[in-house]
Every structure is written in structure tokens, then in C-alpha cells.
């Protein structure tokens, strides 16, 4: 995962930094850190710069020449610099024309105190870049675990490349946030460092938390899972979380991760912030068939005739069917919940059976209608 200018704002040394301009470019990727200590020479500097450089400078060379300073910013944009860290020794503000140019070009300008040393700035950003490369390696290992047809022995070996201290009992949690800002997962450090058999991996657009345990005391495992979940919920205002089943063999880590991902991907369809794989029921199968045309065809054969009848006759059949199935086919409970007469509910259910040509097949009617409604939920 690339390090961006936005990521630097989470560094302690950038705590009091002021964004002068270029907020639209805060997601620019930083490839490396460089200095500006003298006027740029496009010819001689061509081999010394590369796209994505984050420049640190006090612009000493331009403190008495604003015209040349403006030209420097044109060079920085043409070089596709990721951003500027401006030491406030000579400039505490910049001319409005430069501010406007930086805003238009998406070149972030961060104003930082002259009391912060160049070395601390470089060290902080380079540590982010190194950590980012480590994250890419770990993400690649997870991809290798999931995307290859490997034996349990091979999967166990790959798992221990993530964390040599992994134990055999394993559960995974995959989570993300609605916010555009990247998740700062430092809040997980205390428990991950305490529980040596735990690891955090930045995976795709979210975070994969791998929890392993030495024994099978399920109560203890559930308590640990709850601890991790509570930390996530306390530190993320808006979150989506998927939790796998508990596996007794680290060699099944591929299944374990896939379950957490499937549960996570189910959160939007089920309109829930947290989904446990074990609670998905028939959705476990339906979500895996989501891209299969046969599922859509099955859904359409049941749902489209009902929607067509609703549209032509101004009668609610699908909502009645959902409530009816939720109440295990109990007419009375359905009528109370929908504020309808029992005969009205009975008439609507009979009409659904008639439309679907299932008057004589009660069990098949329940099964097919239930599956079609659930398929409709996930297909949208």
C-alpha cells in the first residue's frame, strides 16, 4: 500500500503542521524524500529527481525573489512532486498566486516549524515507506494463500511467513471504515504485541486481523475475539466487520480468511455493521453464487412475476411474503405486524401461490420463495 502525503499527517512530528494549499493532492503517493536547497536546474536535475518525490525546504534560495519562487513551483509540478514540506524559517505564508497554483495543480504544501529537524522528518517518512513495503509483502503472502491451490502444509508454511509465532487455532476478522482517510491501526498495537500469536495485515482496502490460540478453550477464544471487536468499535466511528468461524488447523487459514471476507462483503447487503460467518445461514451459499447467472435467473423467475402483478394491481405481495416467512408462515403474527386483517394476508399468500403456480406444493413454495427473496436482497 502506497504512502501518501495524507499519511504523513498522522506522524507525531506533523501534529502541528498547517496545510497551506493543495488539499486535493493529499492522496499523492510519496516515492522518496528529497531536499530543495538551491534553485532548480531542469537539465542537471533531470536525473536527480523522480515522480512522487516529497520535497523538504525552507526556500532559502528564493527568500528575496518571489518571481523565481513561482517558477520553482512550476518545476515542482512538472516533475510531479508529491508534496512540499515547507520549513517556516523564511516563509510563514506564500503569495496568493502560488497558493492558487498549488491548489489548482493538487500540490500539497505543508508548513512545519523550523524547530523540527530535517532528520526527524526524513526518518518519520522513510519509516512509513519501509512499513508500506512490508505491508505489500504481507498482502502478497495473503494473496498467495487465497489464490493458489495449496496443501495445508504449504498454507501453514506461508502463514508462518506472516508470523512465526502463529498457533494452530485460528480466527480472522476483516474490517474497514466508511471514511476516506486511511485507517490508523496503531490502536491495535497493545493487544497484537501482547498476544504474540496475533497479526495485523493491511489487505486490499481494509485490515485483516489474524488471531491464533494455543488451545481449544472456546470461551477464552470468544472473549479474545470480543476484546478485539471492542477495540475496533471504540476506535472507528463507522465500520464494517466480518468475522470467520474458529478453525482448529492453521493449514485451513485460506478458508478462515475467505469466511471473514465473505462475512464482510455481506454487511452491505444485510445492512449490518458486523456479520459473523456462522450466522449467515443460506447466505453462505448465495453470496458465493452472486456472480452466477443461474442465481439471477432463479430470482427473476420468482420475483419478477410478483413485481409485475404488484405494479398492475397496486397490491403489496413481496413485503407481505417477507413478513410471512419471517414469522414462520404464521398468518396471525403476520397480520398483526402488517396491521392487516388475517383474511387479507391469507388472500395475498394464496395469490402469490397462484402467480407462481405453486398452490399444491407447500414445502416447495416456502423453500423457493425464501431463497428467491434472499437472492433478491444480495443481487439488488
Amino acid at each position: 500500500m502506497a504512502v501518501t502525503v495524507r499519511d504523513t499527517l498522522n506522524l507525531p512530528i506533523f501534529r502541528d503542521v498547517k496545510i497551506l494549499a493543495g488539499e486535493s493532492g493529499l492522496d499523492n503517493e510519496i516515492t522518496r524524500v528529497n531536499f530543495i536547497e538551491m534553485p532548480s536546474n531542469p537539465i542537471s536535475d533531470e536525473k536527480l529527481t523522480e515522480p512522487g518525490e516529497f520535497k523538504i525546504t525552507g526556500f532559502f534560495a528564493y527568500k528575496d525573489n518571489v518571481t523565481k519562487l513561482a517558477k520553482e513551483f512550476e518545476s515542482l509540478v512538472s516533475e510531479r512532486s508529491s508534496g512540499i514540506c515547507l520549513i517556516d524559517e523564511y516563509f510563514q505564508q506564500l503569495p496568493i498566486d502560488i497558493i492558487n497554483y498549488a491548489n489548482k495543480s493538487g500540490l500539497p504544501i505543508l508548513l512545519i516549524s523550523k524547530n523540527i529537524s530535517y532528520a526527524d522528518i526524513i526518518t518519520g517518512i522513510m519509516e512509513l515507506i519501509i512499513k508500506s513495503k512490508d505491508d505489500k509483502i504481507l498482502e502478497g503472502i495473503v494473496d498467495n494463500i487465497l489464490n493458489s491451490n495449496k496443501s495445508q502444509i504449504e498454507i501453514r508454511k506461508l502463514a508462518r511467513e506472516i508470523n512465526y509465532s502463529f498457533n494452530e487455532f485460528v480466527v480472522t476478522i476483516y474490517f474497514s471504515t466508511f471514511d476516506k482517510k486511511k485507517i490508523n491501526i496503531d490502536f491495535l498495537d497493545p493487544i497484537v504485541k501482547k498476544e504474540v500469536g496475533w497479526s495485523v495485515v493491511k489487505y486490499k482496502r481494509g485490515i485483516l486481523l489474524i488471531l491464533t490460540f494455543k488451545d481449544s478453550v472456546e470461551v477464552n477464544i470468544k472473549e479474545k475475539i470480543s476484546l478485539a471487536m471492542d477495540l475496533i468499535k471504540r476506535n472507528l466511528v463507522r465500520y464494517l466487520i466480518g468475522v470467520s468461524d474458529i478453525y482448529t488447523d492453521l493449514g485451513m487459514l485460506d478458508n478462515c480468511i475467505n469466511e471473514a471476507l465473505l462475512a464482510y462483503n455481506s454487511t452491505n447487503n444485510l445492512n449490518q455493521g458486523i456479520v459473523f460467518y456462522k450466522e449467515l445461514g443460506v447466505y453462505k451459499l448465495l453470496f458465493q453464487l452472486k456472480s452466477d447467472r443461474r442465481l439471477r435467473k432463479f430470482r427473476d423467475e420468482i420475483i419478477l412475476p410478483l413485481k409485475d402483478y404488484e405494479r398492475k394491481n397496486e397490491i403489496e405481495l413481496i413485503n407481505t411474503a417477507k413478513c410471512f416467512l419471517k414469522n414462520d408462515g404464521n398468518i396471525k403474527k403476520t397480520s398483526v405486524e402488517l396491521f392487516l386483517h388475517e383474511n387479507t394476508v391469507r388472500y395475498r399468500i394464496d395469490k402469490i401461490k397462484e402467480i407462481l403456480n405453486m398452490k399444491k406444493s407447500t414445502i416447495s413454495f416456502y423453500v423457493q420463495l425464501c431463497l428467491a427473496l434472499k437472492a433478491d436482497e444480495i443481487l439488488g
Side-chain angles (χ1 to χ4, degrees):
M1 295 182 180
V3 173
T4 66
V5 179
R6 190 187 302 277
D7 294 329
T8 67
L9 301 178
N10 293 320
L11 292 170
I13 57 171
F14 277 67
R15 183 176 58 250
D16 298 320
V17 76
K18 180 181 178 182
I19 303 173
L20 293 183
E23 282 199 58
S24 64
L26 286 177
D27 291 317
N28 292 347
E29 179 181 349
I30 298 175
T31 56
R32 68 180 185 183
V33 186
N34 209 337
F35 299 96
I36 302 174
E37 292 296 352
M38 59 185 66
S40 295
N41 184 325
I43 297 176
S44 62
D45 290 352
E46 185 177 359
K47 295 180 180 179
L48 301 178
T49 62
E50 66 176 43
E53 283 190 349
F54 186 72
K55 303 293 180 68
I56 305 173
T57 182
F59 283 134
F60 170 78
Y62 303 103
K63 63 185 179 68
D64 299 316
N65 196 326
V66 175
T67 301
K68 287 187 176 180
L69 178 63
K71 288 289 185 182
E72 178 66 30
F73 271 90
E74 290 179 8
S75 296
L76 291 168
V77 171
S78 68
E79 293 167 5
R80 290 185 288 164
S81 300
S82 57
I84 308 296
C85 181
L86 175 59
I87 309 299
D88 68 0
E89 186 168 3
Y90 305 106
F91 291 91
Q92 289 76 47
Q93 188 53 269
L94 292 172
I96 189 64
D97 289 346
I98 291 178
I99 295 294
N100 290 338
Y101 180 70
N103 283 330
K104 182 180 178 181
S105 305
L107 179 67
I109 304 173
L110 310 182
L111 184 68
I112 195 168
S113 171
K114 62 184 178 183
N115 296 321
I116 306 296
S117 72
Y118 279 30
D120 287 343
I121 297 171
I122 294 170
T123 300
I125 296 175
M126 289 307 300
E127 285 178 352
L128 283 179
I129 293 173
I130 293 168
K131 178 66 167 61
S132 174
K133 290 180 178 178
D134 290 342
D135 289 339
K136 286 182 180 179
I137 292 171
L138 293 177
E139 185 176 51
I141 295 173
V142 172
D143 275 334
N144 201 5
I145 289 172
L146 296 180
N147 299 332
S148 303
N149 186 22
K150 288 184 165 50
S151 68
Q152 291 185 24
I153 293 174
E154 291 172 314
I155 290 173
R156 186 180 288 105
K157 183 178 178 181
L158 283 169
R160 292 211 161 97
E161 288 183 20
I162 297 174
N163 185 340
Y164 187 76
S165 298
F166 274 162
N167 298 300
E168 284 299 315
F169 291 83
V170 59
V171 63
T172 58
I173 299 172
Y174 187 79
F175 66 93
S176 72
T177 177
F178 289 100
D179 302 326
K180 287 185 179 180
K181 190 175 181 180
K182 287 185 180 179
I183 303 174
N184 184 347
I185 55 174
D186 292 346
F187 68 86
L188 290 170
D189 284 349
I191 59 170
V192 171
K193 289 176 180 177
K194 179 182 177 183
E195 307 285 348
V196 292
W198 292 19
S199 281
V200 180
V201 179
K202 292 183 178 180
Y203 187 68
K204 305 304 181 186
R205 295 180 178 273
I207 306 298
L208 178 65
L209 185 55
I210 305 173
L211 320 179
T212 68
F213 307 88
K214 291 181 180 179
D215 54 51
S216 59
V217 182
E218 192 173 345
V219 174
N220 181 52
I221 292 178
K222 287 181 177 178
E223 287 177 354
K224 297 288 188 179
I225 294 172
S226 294
L227 172 64
M229 298 276 284
D230 287 342
L231 270 176
I232 295 170
K233 289 186 284 185
R234 283 202 305 269
N235 286 275
L236 299 181
V237 178
R238 303 173 67 202
Y239 50 79
L240 297 174
I241 304 173
V243 186
S244 74
D245 281 345
I246 300 168
Y247 277 78
T248 60
D249 187 337
L250 186 62
M252 299 292 285
L253 182 59
D254 55 340
N255 286 2
C256 191
I257 295 173
N258 274 321
E259 287 183 0
L261 293 174
L262 180 59
Y264 168 84
N265 290 328
S266 307
T267 53
N268 281 326
N269 293 107
L270 301 180
N271 197 28
Q272 297 177 24
I274 303 173
V275 172
F276 289 82
Y277 180 79
K278 65 182 178 183
E279 297 174 355
L280 278 175
V282 72
Y283 285 112
K284 295 176 184 178
L285 298 176
L286 294 180
F287 276 110
Q288 295 183 61
L289 295 172
K290 189 174 180 179
S291 60
D292 193 315
R293 292 180 181 178
R294 290 171 294 181
L295 181 63
R296 188 174 295 276
K297 182 175 181 293
F298 167 73
R299 184 277 308 268
D300 290 347
E301 289 173 350
I302 303 292
I303 301 300
L304 291 186
L306 300 183
K307 288 184 176 180
D308 185 56
Y309 189 89
E310 283 187 332
R311 186 171 56 255
K312 292 177 179 177
N313 297 275
E314 296 184 357
I315 181 174
E316 285 195 359
L317 296 180
I318 293 177
N319 283 340
T320 303
K322 288 179 179 178
C323 188
F324 177 71
L325 291 170
K326 187 182 75 171
N327 287 299
D328 297 323
N330 189 302
I331 295 288
K332 185 174 182 178
K333 288 182 179 179
T334 304
S335 66
V336 170
E337 187 169 330
L338 295 177
F339 301 101
L340 296 172
H341 193 280
E342 288 183 31
N343 287 340
T344 302
V345 174
R346 192 173 286 108
Y347 168 78
R348 291 183 181 181
I349 298 301
D350 287 341
K351 179 56 66 176
I352 294 171
K353 289 181 178 180
E354 179 185 324
I355 294 169
L356 299 178
N357 195 25
M358 292 185 184
K359 278 192 169 185
K360 297 181 179 180
S361 51
T362 303
I363 295 177
S364 177
F365 167 72
Y366 284 143
V367 171
Q368 292 194 57
L369 183 61
C370 181
L371 289 175
L373 288 171
K374 291 184 183 300
D376 192 48
E377 285 180 24
I378 67 172
L379 292 173

